[in-house]
Amino acid sequence: SDAPQVGEASYSIASSKSDFCEMLESLGVHKYHLYGQSWGGILAYEHLAELSSTCVGECLSLVLSSVPTSVPKIEIYVDTLLATLGGD
C-alpha cells in the first residue's frame, strides 16, 4: 500500500508511543504482555522507560528480539549505507 502523506514526525518514537497508548485505551486493555521485534523493540523499550501516567494499562512482561543496542549507532550505520548506495 502507499505510505500516508504525512511528515516525518508521524513516524517518530514519541508519535509511535502515543499511538500505542491511544490503542490500549481505545481497546480497553488494562494488562498486557509486550513483544518488540527490531524497531518495535526500540518502541517497547522507550514506552516502558518513560511510561507516563497518561498511558493506561500495566505491562506484565516484556520480550525484546533483535533490538539494536544503540539508536545513534544505527543512525550512523544507515547514513553510511545510504551514502555508499547514493541514496537519501
Side-chain angles (χ1 to χ4, degrees):
S1 69
D2 292 333
Q5 298 299 315
V6 295
E8 285 185 26
S10 296
Y11 296 100
S12 70
I13 289 175
S15 177
S16 296
K17 289 185 338 185
S18 175
D19 290 347
F20 181 71
C21 289
E22 288 176 21
M23 180 194 70
L24 289 175
E25 185 175 344
S26 68
L27 294 174
V29 175
H30 301 288
K31 295 184 179 189
Y32 56 94
H33 299 274
L34 190 54
Y35 173 83
Q37 168 79 30
S38 190
W39 170 247
I42 294 171
L43 297 178
Y45 173 83
E46 290 290 332
H47 165 71
L48 293 177
E50 298 178 16
L51 194 59
S52 68
S53 60
T54 60
C55 192
V56 300
E58 175 186 2
C59 182
L60 301 174
S61 67
L62 171 66
V63 175
L64 300 176
S65 176
S66 300
V67 178
T69 57
S70 168
V71 172
K73 286 182 181 179
I74 293 298
E75 290 173 339
I76 291 168
Y77 172 76
V78 168
D79 289 342
T80 302
L81 181 61
L82 288 172
T84 301
L85 297 173
D88 61 319

